[in-house]
Amino acid sequence: MLVVSGSSCRYLAVNVSRLINAPLIPSECKVFPDGEIYVRIDGDVSGKPVAVFQSFALNPNDYLVEFILLTDLVRDLGASKIIAVIPYFAYARQDDRFKPGEALSIKTIASIFKSLNIASIVTVDMHLHRVSNPSELFKIPVYNLSAMELLIDYVMNVFKPESPIVIGPDEESKQWAEIAARRVNIDYDVLEKIRYDSHRVAIKPRGLNIHGRDVIVVDDIISTGGTMAEAVKALRSYGARRVITACTHPILTGQALSKILEAGAEAIVGTDTVPSPVSYVSVKTVIAEFLSRCMI
């Protein structure tokens, strides 16, 4: 297997390529003065399976176009198989039409992917709520790996919480809370979230017994930080001793980081699916282990 990386994911791609002992093919990705994107690879991929790395975080539109060009280039140069490794998959949240006339963005992206002759997609904690089986949507295998076990291991080892409990900030995060809690054999629950708009939410506890306990709040994405900040405030008001927050994808737009800390969180822990000041945990081992099985 060979590894090719777009501009958003080079560090992670290098680390994974070393773990699986796969040659990394140099690539050049740049933007012309008029805004058009240019890609080039410097190596022979003919007849070889290629893992193309690209995360869609923080600059999703340019990174998506870059990925399309890069993947189609690898196909055109004769790769025997293409595995798309997309640590953060943008547009997955737009999976339903909440108002008349809205685009079903994930469906559109899936249509584009079908034309690229990709064998499979590897992603991490994809934001799936109403799409229960992304493989059916994309018409190719989609392997949705999880970083939750890595995150909870890090929190337990570094912060050594006392009488810990894992909490999801809303019902949609239950799946992540369950994975994290099961990993270390502790209790978990979720809060009730009422969303007023894209920036304003209210969080209500469900009669949880958290007084004097250390709470670990987990979610797949922290974007504006509104949900997580309200969760922290609610938990502190109900007697949590410490609140540590963790997520796979630390998008952290605007003042999200300070908003959560000012709400009373002791720390925020994220992964390197999105480079950030809190990306303490790497998903390289999870991706490398999966790709190693593909190489057998």
Side-chain angles (χ1 to χ4, degrees), residues 115-174:
S115 68
L116 295 174
N117 198 29
I118 295 169
S120 59
I121 299 169
V122 180
T123 188
V124 182
D125 288 327
M126 192 176 186
H127 195 83
L128 299 174
H129 292 147
R130 286 154 289 272
V131 177
S132 59
N133 187 348
S135 297
E136 290 184 358
L137 177 64
F138 283 82
K139 306 303 180 186
I140 56 174
V142 177
Y143 300 98
N144 187 27
L145 313 180
S146 182
M148 284 296 144
E149 292 188 352
L150 297 175
L151 285 165
I152 195 67
D153 285 350
Y154 181 91
V155 170
M156 297 298 284
N157 290 331
V158 172
F159 297 96
K160 303 188 186 312
E162 297 180 11
S163 186
I165 182 172
V166 174
I167 296 292
D170 53 31
E171 186 62 37
E172 294 176 340
S173 63
K174 180 180 179 181

Side-chain angles (χ1 to χ4, degrees), residues 2-14:
L2 305 176
V3 172
V4 173
S5 177
S7 60
S8 72
C9 212
R10 294 193 190 279
Y11 185 67
L12 182 57
V14 169

Side-chain angles (χ1 to χ4, degrees), residues 3 10 64 91-92 105 161 226 237 254 274 282 286:
V3 172
R10 294 193 190 279
L64 176 60
Y91 292 108
S105 302
S237 71
V274 182
S282 179
V286 171

Side-chain angles (χ1 to χ4, degrees), residues 25 38 43-44 116-117 121 123 147 149 220 224-225 233 256:
I25 302 299
Y38 168 94
D44 182 13
L116 295 174
N117 198 29
I121 299 169
T123 188
E149 292 188 352
D220 58 336
T224 65
K233 289 177 185 177

